[in-house]
Amino acid sequence: MKAWPYPLWIAHRGAGKLAPENTLAAFRVGASHGWRAFECDVKLAADGVPFLLHDDTLRRTTPARGTAGERSWAELSRLDAGGWHSRAFAGEPLPSLDAIATYVLRNGFALNIEIKPTPGQELETGRVVAREAARLWAASRVAPVAPPLLSSFRPEALQGARETAPDLPRALLLDTLWTGWFDVARALDVVACVTNHKIMDEGLIAQLRAAGLRALVYTVNDSAEAQRLLTLGIAGIITDAVDRFSPGDSLRD
Ligand code: G3P
Ligand code: MG
């Protein structure tokens, strides 16, 4: 297997509990705790601009309603994506992928971009996000520590990513081991599978390793569970608990 360029510990949605998830503020908070690798969710505005948001709709994390992907970036970029979290973050905007790339690249951080398409836009979202990610990382004036890792629960999104940026590494996200997952992962030529931590065990890691794939997990917030996974030899742990875990923690030696 090729050397794995990503840190073991990855902050979920930026540092998406201490600050509003998927905002630049969340990344800055994560960085202030020493984190150097981040996961975020990316989808497309109606005019094709990739931006960060977890849900299909705006309701939970902004004052607006309705499907986020039906609004233009000009509309989305004016929304308050921080006030729902706490007063301190009121006015924090939804970030574009461009803005996050600028921050991550300038600071030498690693990024896992979860392609989170608005339903029905899987292929197109994968195509555009991968194309833009490739452009942004290639244009960096500092040498990136690692290429962005593109992951998705949706195979069509990874297929789209493969079409426009075949050289960017891909990972299949798995909440369950649905029928055919392994063949799909192989067919998409992924470098890793990122599973719900509850389904990761010795057998699954061995199956992935035998195929030359890394095993990563989300979202681990319990230290006994983190230790179990570290002992198994997990390659990456996505966590919300950026103030309890240290990105230097390792039991692998
Ligand atoms: O990328 C791993 C994790 O973020 C997947 O779950 O729902 O938090 O995006 P979710
Ligand atoms: Mg995610």
Side-chain angles (χ1 to χ4, degrees):
M1 287 199 276
K2 279 204 289 187
W4 185 247
Y6 304 100
L8 170 68
W9 291 96
I10 303 166
H12 189 219
R13 307 184 193 176
K17 292 292 184 198
L18 300 180
E21 63 186 54
N22 286 314
T23 66
L24 192 47
F27 280 68
R28 294 194 212 282
V29 168
S32 76
H33 285 266
W35 290 69
R36 304 187 62 78
F38 299 87
E39 183 264 3
C40 64
D41 305 295
V42 175
K43 52 175 45 67
L44 300 182
D47 46 354
V49 177
F51 72 102
L52 276 62
L53 187 70
H54 179 274
D55 298 1
D56 298 337
T57 64
L58 294 161
R59 184 182 184 90
R60 183 173 61 88
T61 58
T62 81
R65 296 285 179 270
T67 302
E70 292 175 354
R71 300 206 184 200
S72 68
W73 175 241
E75 286 179 272
L76 292 166
S77 61
R78 287 195 293 270
L79 296 175
D80 171 11
W84 68 276
H85 177 276
S86 54
R87 245 181 16 236
F89 293 108
E92 181 68 28
L94 292 167
S96 64
L97 178 60
D98 276 51
I100 290 297
T102 299
Y103 176 75
V104 159
L105 287 163
R106 183 71 174 80
N107 285 284
F109 296 153
L111 189 63
N112 169 204
I113 300 173
E114 183 190 340
I115 305 169
K116 196 76 130 182
T118 300
Q121 297 182 14
E122 288 80 8
L123 191 64
E124 181 63 7
T125 305
R127 284 175 177 152
V128 173
V129 170
R131 187 188 69 216
E132 288 302 295
R135 179 183 67 78
L136 290 161
W137 264 253
S140 173
R141 286 194 289 172
V142 288
V145 287
L149 176 63
L150 305 179
S151 61
S152 190
F153 287 106
R154 306 307 306 263
E156 310 93 307
L158 295 175
Q159 178 57 38
R162 189 185 194 186
E163 287 173 19
T164 57
D167 295 337
L168 288 187
R170 292 172 296 282
L172 181 63
L173 277 160
L174 295 163
D175 194 43
T176 61
L177 297 180
W178 38 267
T179 305
W181 71 270
F182 189 64
D183 292 339
V184 167
R186 299 294 301 274
L188 289 166
D189 197 18
V190 300
V191 297
C193 287
V194 186
T195 77
N196 185 319
H197 67 92
K198 292 175 188 159
I199 62 171
M200 184 56 71
D201 61 17
E202 207 170 346
L204 181 52
I205 286 208
Q207 182 181 6
L208 292 169
R209 276 209 186 125
L213 306 181
R214 307 284 172 158
L216 289 78
V217 284
Y218 70 91
T219 304
V220 180
N221 296 329
D222 173 76
S223 74
E225 177 65 346
Q227 291 195 12
R228 179 184 77 84
L229 293 155
L230 288 165
T231 304
L232 288 179
I234 207 80
I237 297 179
I238 299 173
T239 181
D240 295 315
V242 300
D243 54 345
R244 288 189 286 111
F245 293 134
S246 159
D249 284 348
S250 174
L251 297 177
R252 285 187 297 183
D253 302 333

